[in-house]
Amino acid sequence: MRILIEEHQYRAEVVENIIVGLTNLRNIKGKVQVNHVGYYYNPVLNDGRGDTVFILPKVLLEDKDGEELLFGKYQPEAVINLAEQQLLTPQEYDFVYELSVWVYRSIVVFRDAHPDSDVVQQQLVQHMSNGRLQECTTYLDILLALQKFNRDNEHFFFFVLRNLHSGLNKINWTRTISKSQALVQDGVPVYLNPVNKRRQVNFDEELLIIFFSILEHMHRHYGFPVRIPVNFDLITGARFEALLSGQGRTRLLRIKHKYFSDKALYLWELCYAFFDWSPRVKVEVNNQEYILVKNFNIVFEAIIDELIGTDRNLLPPRLADQSDGKTVDHLWIDSILMPTSEETSVYYIGDSKYYKHSTPVGENSISKQFTYARNVIQWSFDALRGVTSCEDEHYKLRLRDDRTEGYNVLPNFFISAKVDFKRLDYNDDALQLHQGKNLHESSQFSDRLFDRDTLLLSHYDVNFLFVLAMYARNHAGSKRAWREEVRQCFRDRVQQVLEQRYTFFAMQGYDAEDSEQYITTHFQELLGKVYRTPNEQRIYTLAIEQKSDGEGGLIHELRQHFYLTECKLKDNPQEKIDEQIQRQGQMPVGKCIVVDDNYCEQTAEAIRRVGRYAIGLGDTSGSLALAEGFMSVRYLLLHKLRSPIVFELKAGPKLITADQLKDTPYKMKGQAIYILFQIEQERPALAYKVNQHALTHPPMGYTVRQSYVTDVNSLLA
């Protein structure tokens, strides 16, 4: 077997005999590279005896010090002839053989799923027979021959079975009479234990059991489509693993000389070759044979789309195949990244990257991926407004929250093929962050995650061997199960990337009207930082960049109007808010008049007695502030730099003249106009929460002796 590596530049004299007949070759400075992946039988190799040429995917190459190395350590030229090289370890040697099967199977599955695609080139003329013989040393040849024998020899199987079972139920009366006692009943002898015709171990049946057990293994392990027309008790599981470990050869050698027909001998030879991977299997070659794929990146894209993405035939026009001519590789709808108490969906946008090991993503690819996301956002707007025709409501996702004008985060990512050269493991299904640069950003403003112009692009690696084998097996149930698992894994990984950069909070207003007003008033400060998912009415998500400075003031200000608690992206925001309310109790909302009064206990007693309080309006700045905001005041706080007393006010304060005061306790003697407040109830529990520091440090522009209006929560500890 000869192996070449896709797109590796070989010296022409090294490979000129190997690649005879292959097309699409590129000469670069005296070097040749093959832009195919697949299986190619060259009948002129080995002095006309022929040999298989296998072209492996370029993901097995790694650049080290400007040189491309197989498995990151071998020059590809040094291991072209697999039988003669001495560099590969036994594990790597076996890996190359098995990989040939998986690549072959993946090409066949792709060919069958995309019959109109022109990337697959094939000419299949190989036959196993006793005619003109050439040596064949590949595991792939053995599997193909076993599959073909099963397909072409069904009549042989039934002929053997008919001979095996003929006469088994007939009684041997001679042996029955001579070997057992008879009971005489009514003059008639009755034999209780008649002797049937017996047979010794039938080696034809044993060979068929081994053969069909091999076929079952090929189907389960590699996904080969095989049909088993008989109902034998097959060897599976640990018993078959024992055959693979050496018992298979031993068992077959024990029965080797029991066969006389050509077909039985040939079947034994095939089964033994499977367990031995030996050059004893002969192949008849009348012409060149190949099944190759040019542009294997198209096959890799199909693999990822089949295992992860959605059927683009179900997507609306211009969503995946966009109006500017760009086509999104992978696009599906799944759960939103933001914390939400109800199910909400968002678009997931992916792009497959089939590169050599450790090759970075180019700037052109990054720009195109950001453009995909912008086009999806615009398509969503157009679909909701009826500009773009879309009858399926499932695809009409609202990406913008009209209240905050925040935009949902679109999961946008690269997924590239990776092979762990130290393990070469087909079972590792982990999805990992790319080892190089794994996060790209396009933004106009800093620290605005929920901005239309803020787009994040993450990069992940998937085990190429795992997805290749999964696709090649072509088992619908396994693919469906892994698709659900890996989509959840994608969501988890993107959330991890976001949480490494941002701290997320759940927000719910103490009072719906007050919180709405706050967002309106402070819209510019909150733009791009706050987002409300479509199914939420009162809960918002706040995202603060972890490296940003000066956001402590914003959080402090928000706490005066909102329950605000840190909330991971996997958490339920309503549950986190409920926990916050349980810890701190229901929070008051609204404005509070803060009045310094050296006799506040006596004043409070008068207020309790008459149920009202008045403050005079003079010509000071504090009085003007009171006049501007008195309609929204909900609390009155009296203090003498300590021992605050808090009253909750009724709605509807009004202006009165001095002669209307009567027995009303008041502040600022000698004023013509007063603001009269009606008392609802005293709030001692609220007074207990007042921060002493807040009383001695009034807002800028005021002194502790002035009366002023502030948010009640700014006074609380």
Side-chain angles (χ1 to χ4, degrees), residues 330-359:
H330 315 295
L331 182 65
W332 71 86
I333 294 176
D334 207 341
S335 299
I336 192 175
L337 296 174
M338 298 303 106
T340 177
S341 56
E342 297 186 26
E343 185 65 29
T344 306
S345 300
V346 71
Y347 302 107
Y348 284 67
I349 306 169
D351 188 40
S352 302
K353 290 301 172 191
Y354 174 69
Y355 291 150
K356 297 174 184 176
H357 198 274
S358 301
T359 301

Side-chain angles (χ1 to χ4, degrees), residues 97 134 141 217 235 287 421 423 452 536 565 578 583 598 613 652 705:
Y97 273 99
Q134 297 291 343
D141 290 326
H217 172 76
I235 305 169
N287 288 295
F421 298 142
R423 298 179 61 192
R452 177 169 180 165
E536 300 286 4
T565 179
D578 292 343
R583 285 195 303 270
N598 287 331
Y613 183 73
R705 297 303 179 186

Side-chain angles (χ1 to χ4, degrees), residues 336 338 346 377 380-381 384 397-410 447-454 519 523-534 540-543:
I336 192 175
M338 298 303 106
V346 71
I377 292 172
S380 178
F381 288 157
L384 290 171
L397 303 184
R398 188 173 296 277
L399 301 181
R400 188 184 77 168
D401 170 35
D402 294 335
R403 183 70 191 87
T404 63
E405 295 193 14
Y407 286 78
N408 202 342
V409 177
L410 285 183
D447 197 16
R448 288 191 183 180
L449 176 61
F450 305 120
D451 187 84
R452 177 169 180 165
D453 293 324
T454 299
I519 289 177
F523 177 79
Q524 196 62 37
E525 300 169 46
L526 299 175
L527 184 61
K529 296 182 176 66
V530 177
Y531 177 74
R532 182 178 60 180
T533 57
Y540 299 84
T541 299
L542 170 69

Side-chain angles (χ1 to χ4, degrees), residues 447-617:
D447 197 16
R448 288 191 183 180
L449 176 61
F450 305 120
D451 187 84
R452 177 169 180 165
D453 293 324
T454 299
L455 299 172
L456 299 178
L457 174 58
S458 48
H459 189 171
Y460 305 94
D461 291 329
V462 66
N463 181 7
F464 174 76
L465 304 179
F466 175 81
V467 296
L468 181 75
M470 174 75 74
Y471 181 77
R473 289 189 183 102
N474 200 27
H475 187 275
S478 299
K479 290 190 293 186
R480 182 168 55 253
W482 192 70
R483 181 184 301 121
E484 295 174 358
E485 178 182 340
V486 79
R487 285 187 178 183
Q488 181 61 45
C489 188
F490 263 116
R491 185 171 182 267
D492 294 344
R493 293 290 185 271
V494 177
Q495 287 177 328
Q496 289 175 10
V497 169
L498 291 176
E499 288 180 339
Q500 289 172 3
R501 185 161 184 173
Y502 295 89
T503 301
F504 292 90
F505 299 85
M507 288 173 38
Q508 179 176 303
Y510 300 144
D511 178 82
E513 183 178 347
D514 175 76
S515 60
E516 293 288 308
Q517 181 60 44
Y518 182 89
I519 289 177
T520 300
T521 305
H522 299 83
F523 177 79
Q524 196 62 37
E525 300 169 46
L526 299 175
L527 184 61
K529 296 182 176 66
V530 177
Y531 177 74
R532 182 178 60 180
T533 57
N535 292 336
E536 300 286 4
Q537 296 298 319
R538 298 183 59 189
I539 297 180
Y540 299 84
T541 299
L542 170 69
I544 300 296
E545 196 170 19
Q546 294 179 5
K547 66 180 181 180
S548 64
D549 298 324
E551 293 300 342
L554 174 60
I555 293 175
H556 176 74
E557 178 71 18
L558 288 171
R559 289 191 189 279
Q560 299 177 26
H561 301 268
F562 296 88
Y563 297 104
L564 188 66
T565 179
E566 190 168 336
C567 184
K568 299 293 186 181
L569 294 177
K570 289 186 177 181
D571 292 339
N572 184 308
Q574 187 62 66
E575 292 179 358
K576 301 295 287 187
I577 292 293
D578 292 343
E579 291 173 5
Q580 180 78 0
I581 294 174
Q582 187 174 6
R583 285 195 303 270
Q584 70 182 49
Q586 291 287 341
M587 296 297 290
V589 180
K591 301 294 183 179
C592 179
I593 298 175
V594 181
V595 179
D596 169 61
D597 189 336
N598 287 331
Y599 306 98
C600 64
E601 287 86 356
Q602 293 88 332
T603 304
E605 187 59 36
I607 291 174
R608 297 184 188 105
R609 186 174 62 254
V610 302
R612 55 186 181 272
Y613 183 73
I615 298 179
L617 295 181

Side-chain angles (χ1 to χ4, degrees), residues 165-181:
H165 295 282
S166 61
L168 291 183
N169 293 321
K170 293 183 179 179
I171 297 176
N172 188 326
W173 288 109
T174 301
R175 291 175 60 85
T176 299
I177 294 172
S178 63
K179 296 290 183 180
S180 61
Q181 293 289 334

Side-chain angles (χ1 to χ4, degrees), residues 617-637:
L617 295 181
D619 57 1
T620 65
S621 59
S623 295
L624 293 175
L626 286 175
E628 291 175 0
F630 77 91
M631 289 299 297
S632 61
V633 171
R634 296 184 62 178
Y635 299 93
L636 167 66
L637 187 151

